[in-house]
Amino acid sequence: MMTKYSIYKGLQKPLVYRGFKGRFIGWGIGFLVLGLVGGGLTGALTNMYLGGIITILTIAAGLTFTFSRQKDGLHDKTRNKGISIHPIRLKKKYADPFL
């Protein structure tokens, strides 16, 4: 006799953190790290205030870009408007089975 166990399959919803969903959480973290490293290097090599400005601008631009891409959905799908015609590439040389 087999015993059946219920399996928890989750809610089938993407992970959401502070408005970011699914893979866009990674994008947001990536832009934060990029802004901090880029601004830190700029501040260390040139000017502290310039590094701070670059940090703020990079993080703001990156998060804005991430939010705008998120509105398109979690999966990038090509939505072609129009008619697509695919050429048929069949061989026109056939063997006669009766010869």
Side-chain angles (χ1 to χ4, degrees):
M1 184 169 162
M2 275 181 101
T3 306
K4 290 189 177 183
Y5 297 100
S6 60
I7 298 173
Y8 177 70
K9 295 184 179 180
L11 300 175
Q12 300 300 319
K13 292 184 180 181
L15 179 65
V16 178
Y17 180 73
R18 296 190 183 246
F20 292 109
K21 296 177 186 173
R23 69 178 177 164
F24 296 106
I25 295 171
W27 285 26
I29 292 171
F31 280 118
L32 286 173
V33 169
L34 180 70
L36 290 173
V37 170
L41 284 173
T42 304
L45 297 175
T46 59
N47 187 356
M48 181 178 71
Y49 297 112
L50 181 63
I53 290 171
I54 291 202
T55 300
I56 292 170
L57 289 177
T58 305
I59 291 173
L63 293 180
T64 303
F65 174 74
T66 304
F67 271 122
S68 69
R69 291 290 297 195
Q70 182 173 307
K71 289 181 182 178
D72 294 335
L74 288 177
H75 307 286
D76 290 334
K77 294 181 182 175
T78 306
R79 291 179 172 87
N80 295 324
K81 295 180 181 177
I83 300 172
S84 299
I85 300 174
H86 299 282
I88 299 173
R89 293 188 177 99
L90 296 176
K91 294 181 181 178
K92 295 185 182 196
K93 185 178 180 182
Y94 302 101
D96 191 6
F98 299 109
L99 292 178

